Amino acid sequence: MPTRTLHIPTADGRADAFAAFPDHGGRHPGVLMYADGFGIRPVLRDMARELAGHGYYVLVPNVFHRHGPAPLFDLPEHIGAEARPALMARLMPLIEAHTAERARRDADAYLGFLTSRPEVAAGPVAVTGYCIGGLLALRTAVAHPGRVAALAAFHGPVGADGPETLARITARVHFGHAESDLTPEALGELNRALDAGKADYTSEIYPGTQHGFTMSDTDAFDPAGLQRHWDRLLPLLDRALPRG
């Protein structure tokens, strides 16, 4: 499968990115994939390749590009409980500095770059994200209702911008929440905000999961949760994105 390391021009410099796409010719629907806070690393490249194998051009940008190319700091092969506090202490300032305005400016650049690729089919794209990347995916979809046809977020803080933002989503949506992140009562409140808008959505708690359940290089990894994620994501993309 073809993969590329690319550089996306943005208003604040070049963002490095990873791309994967099918090895047969033609043009493919585009998917913008936002990584979790730990960024582009082997597990994210594997997930991008997996998705590309289903017929998509997948672009994974380094959202912290203002601080340097990925990886910004050394990550262990497995991000366990002992390593996590020190890593989070370095990561949280980057997340806090990545304001909603920065996210929107970057989204403009990422979408423009993605849709300009010669391997990407004309028409709308999808955005998906993990952890903080789920919130970035939501912000991208809300800012670009005419360009984003599908939005998926997994163990992400998708309610962080408030119910008014959730009600503005027009894309088809799936939110897969970790059981450790959201109570049934909070899920009901979030879903009522989605009901107030125009989105065709599913939003559910994945039973028995912890925050980060899709990431196989962390203690939170849950194989059943990851498979459920694919079982929800792939049909969503198939319904929302046109095929050539």
Side-chain angles (χ1 to χ4, degrees):
M1 173 177 295
T3 62
R4 301 282 188 274
T5 298
L6 302 171
H7 293 89
I8 304 171
T10 79
D12 297 315
R14 296 199 308 168
D16 50 307
F18 177 79
F21 49 94
D23 54 10
H24 53 84
R27 304 175 75 188
H28 314 284
V31 179
L32 178 61
M33 177 185 283
Y34 286 105
D36 64 352
F38 295 122
I40 302 171
R41 59 194 192 281
V43 67
L44 263 297
R45 294 187 183 95
D46 287 347
M47 294 175 76
R49 291 187 190 98
E50 174 75 17
L51 185 52
H54 291 274
Y56 301 98
Y57 184 106
V58 184
L59 181 68
V60 189
N62 170 21
V63 301
F64 301 131
H65 61 88
R66 292 171 181 82
H67 305 277
L72 292 176
F73 41 83
D74 291 335
L75 292 171
E77 289 187 11
H78 183 83
I79 303 170
E82 291 185 2
R84 192 175 184 88
L87 292 172
M88 292 304 298
R90 300 182 69 178
L91 180 59
M92 287 308 299
L94 306 184
I95 293 175
E96 291 166 359
H98 197 67
T99 62
E101 177 56 33
R102 280 187 175 184
R104 282 189 285 270
R105 289 205 308 270
D106 283 352
D108 293 345
Y110 300 157
L111 289 176
F113 186 86
L114 174 62
T115 56
S116 74
R117 297 298 88 199
E119 302 89 356
V120 175
V125 302
V127 292
T128 185
Y130 304 89
C131 184
I132 189 63
L135 177 58
L136 299 179
L138 183 150
R139 287 172 173 169
T140 300
V142 169
H144 297 276
R147 302 173 74 182
V148 175
L151 161 65
F154 301 92
H155 48 85
V158 293
D161 289 345
E164 297 83 5
T165 296
L166 292 168
R168 290 171 56 200
I169 300 170
T170 58
R172 291 179 182 264
V173 176
H174 176 71
F175 291 153
H177 309 283
E179 189 173 287
S180 65
D181 286 347
L182 210 64
T183 65
E185 293 75 19
L187 175 67
E189 183 177 347
L190 187 147
N191 290 351
R192 283 190 291 275
L194 290 167
D195 288 335
K198 300 177 181 179
D200 176 358
Y201 78 91
T202 58
S203 173
E204 61 182 327
I205 293 171
Y206 287 21
T209 56
Q210 300 291 314
H211 180 78
F213 62 82
T214 59
M215 298 295 147
S216 63
D217 61 352
T218 72
D219 285 349
F221 178 56
D222 185 301
L226 176 63
Q227 185 57 52
R228 189 179 184 123
H229 140 279
W230 290 121
D231 291 344
R232 300 296 190 269
L233 177 60
L234 294 174
L236 173 73
L237 300 184
D238 190 56
R239 291 193 304 272
L241 298 182
R243 299 282 182 164

